[in-house]
């Protein structure tokens, strides 16, 4: 295979360097902003974080063997499981894992901002207690 053939199989927009944490965070913020306005009051306190990989404890708790297999994680109590007198807990958190997202981006050729949006919306869906079908519908609306 020639060098030109290898380059032609890279995703569109590839510049030769991996987007950093700040770039992925900006994409996540743009994805949040694209959600229908009705969701905004319910997600304003959700913390969005970007990490390189999930740590070993997280992977073990989810029975995931390889860190490349986890692109995002919701931590918190879904809105459907809360009571009115529950307070004082840690804020809900969505973590996007940069390296696994970048690997999926390279392997699939999906536009990176769309992939980040997909992972983020899936994790935000857990915050609302949505099923996978509900999450697909939400993504289609955004």
């Amino acid at each position: 295979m020639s060098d030109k053939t290898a380059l032609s199989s890279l995703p569109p927009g590839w510049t030769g360097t991996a987007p950093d944490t700040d770039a992925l965070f900006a994409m996540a913020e743009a994805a949040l902003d694209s959600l229908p306005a009705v969701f905004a009051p319910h997600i304003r306190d959700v913390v969005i974080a970007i990490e390189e990989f999930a740590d070993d404890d997280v992977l073990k708790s989810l029975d995931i063997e390889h860190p490349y297999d986890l692109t995002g994680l919701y931590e918190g109590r879904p809105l459907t499981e809360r009571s009115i007198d529950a307070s004082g807990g840690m804020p809900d958190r969505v973590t996007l894992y940069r390296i696994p997202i970048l690997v999926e981006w390279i392997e699939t050729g999906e536009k990176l901002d769309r992939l980040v949006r997909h992972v983020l919306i899936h994790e935000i869906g857990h915050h609302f207690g949505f099923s996978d079908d509900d999450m697909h519908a939400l993504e289609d609306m955004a």
Side-chain angles (χ1 to χ4, degrees):
M1 169 183 344
S2 74
D3 289 341
K4 288 184 180 181
T5 304
L7 291 175
S8 67
S9 66
L10 292 172
W14 176 257
T15 62
T17 60
D20 63 12
T21 299
D22 292 339
L24 257 64
F25 187 80
M27 290 178 208
E29 284 186 317
L32 280 178
D33 290 344
S34 75
L35 292 174
V38 69
F39 293 106
H42 305 288
I43 60 175
R44 72 173 170 253
D45 295 329
V46 175
V47 174
I48 305 298
I50 310 293
E51 295 180 8
E52 295 297 292
F53 288 104
D55 66 33
D56 290 339
D57 291 337
V58 167
L59 295 171
K60 185 177 179 180
S61 73
L62 297 171
D63 200 27
I64 295 174
E65 291 186 22
H66 200 283
Y68 288 97
D69 293 335
L70 186 62
T71 55
L73 178 67
Y74 168 74
E75 296 173 283
R77 176 175 273 169
L79 295 177
T80 55
E81 296 177 12
R82 296 184 186 183
S83 69
I84 191 133
D85 47 319
S87 65
M90 296 296 291
D92 294 287
R93 175 183 170 106
V94 169
T95 304
L96 303 180
Y97 298 109
R98 189 177 81 89
I99 302 298
I101 288 173
L102 294 177
V103 167
E104 186 172 331
W105 171 54
I106 291 167
E107 289 177 347
T108 65
E110 178 77 36
K111 287 182 64 180
L112 184 56
D113 60 335
R114 291 181 59 94
L115 181 57
V116 168
R117 181 177 171 274
H118 171 77
V119 174
L120 180 77
I121 287 175
H122 181 89
E123 300 310 326
I124 289 292
H126 289 301
H127 174 68
F128 287 98
F130 290 166
S131 68
D132 283 342
D133 287 341
D134 293 335
M135 288 183 223
H136 291 297
L138 174 60
E139 191 169 3
D140 290 342
M141 291 170 55

